[in-house]
Amino acid sequence: MKSPRAIAMLVASAILGLVAATMAVTWLQQRAVAADKVVVAAVDIQLGSRLDGQMLRVANWPAGSVPSGAVSDPGELQGRVLRSSLIAGEPVLMSKLAPVGAQGGLSAVIAPGHRAITVRVNDVVGVAGFALPGNYVDILVSTEAGQGDSQSRQISKIVLQHILVLAVAQQAARDETKPRVVNAVTLEVTPEQAEMLDLARSIGTLSLVLRNQMDRTQVAIPGVMRPQLLATAAQADAVPVAPSTPTATPRPRVRHGAARQRAPAAAHGACVDVIKNGISTRECF
């Protein structure tokens, strides 16, 4: 027969378990009640798109962790234009929206004070298709400068640095990593840079130089001209190659006190010197 003490411990354990379960359910209900409403993207949305009700949905978001700039009412976002792409389930933040009244398309993603200009490229100029929207490039021009014959005036110089690629061909999506060979690239520049780029493409051949997205370094370089390039190559070719030093054949060391004995040279035949145990002798045949 079970003791009364064991029965009391079982009853106490059951009561404590019920209390713990009740507290857990209450805590979860409080967390659910405390959740905030946040508007998120219902589908993947590309930058420059105009938002409508089918692109958005309301989702519960943990209280206290709602991102800054989030919106709770989808009606506030009707007709607004995105400045950056969104993936399904990502909150729609005010910082990712173009100003009120902005029209959809590429013009909505151009930064204030900047312009968009398109340049013609090919598979070489366009870095083999690796210059994608969202990447940064330098602009290289090959032309003629200075006085002298046409060959001596040829120069290659970087004229613009850290230029944002807005679109390639008619695509502005920035979530692609596969290279695309196109015939035109649209760049974001300031008005001054637009003038420089337009002049550069009219006087020479343009090339795009892909750079690291995190590298914002601006370097001052004078460019390279044909005589400098050929002089550098000639100097590299003119570096003399040091001749190999002939290895001297080690001469046998003669032990101290050992007398050198040489046989008299024979009048006829061939003779060789034989060195054995430090003693040199001549053998004639």
Side-chain angles (χ1 to χ4, degrees), residues 38-43 52-60 74 88-90 92:
V38 174
V39 178
V40 300
V43 294
D52 56 32
Q54 297 180 351
M55 299 178 179
L56 308 172
R57 66 180 178 88
V58 179
N60 291 329
E90 183 178 355
V92 182

Side-chain angles (χ1 to χ4, degrees), residues 261-277:
Q261 300 179 0
R262 288 182 177 273
H268 302 283
C271 298
V272 295
D273 291 336
V274 179
I275 301 175
K276 185 176 182 181
N277 297 329

Side-chain angles (χ1 to χ4, degrees), residues 7 12 32 45 73 108 114 120 124 128 134 141 162 215 225 251 254 268:
I7 295 176
I45 310 175
D73 184 9
H114 287 68
R120 183 178 298 277
V124 176
V141 61
H162 201 263
D215 182 12
M225 301 188 69
R251 300 184 61 183
V254 181
H268 302 283

Side-chain angles (χ1 to χ4, degrees), residues 100-145:
V100 178
Q103 301 297 318
L106 186 63
S107 61
V109 304
I110 301 175
H114 287 68
R115 307 291 188 269
I117 185 172
T118 302
V119 296
R120 183 178 298 277
V121 297
N122 53 35
D123 56 344
V124 176
V125 176
V127 201
F130 284 98
L132 299 172
N135 295 153
Y136 287 88
V137 296
D138 293 345
I139 310 298
L140 184 71
V141 61
S142 178
T143 182
E144 296 181 0

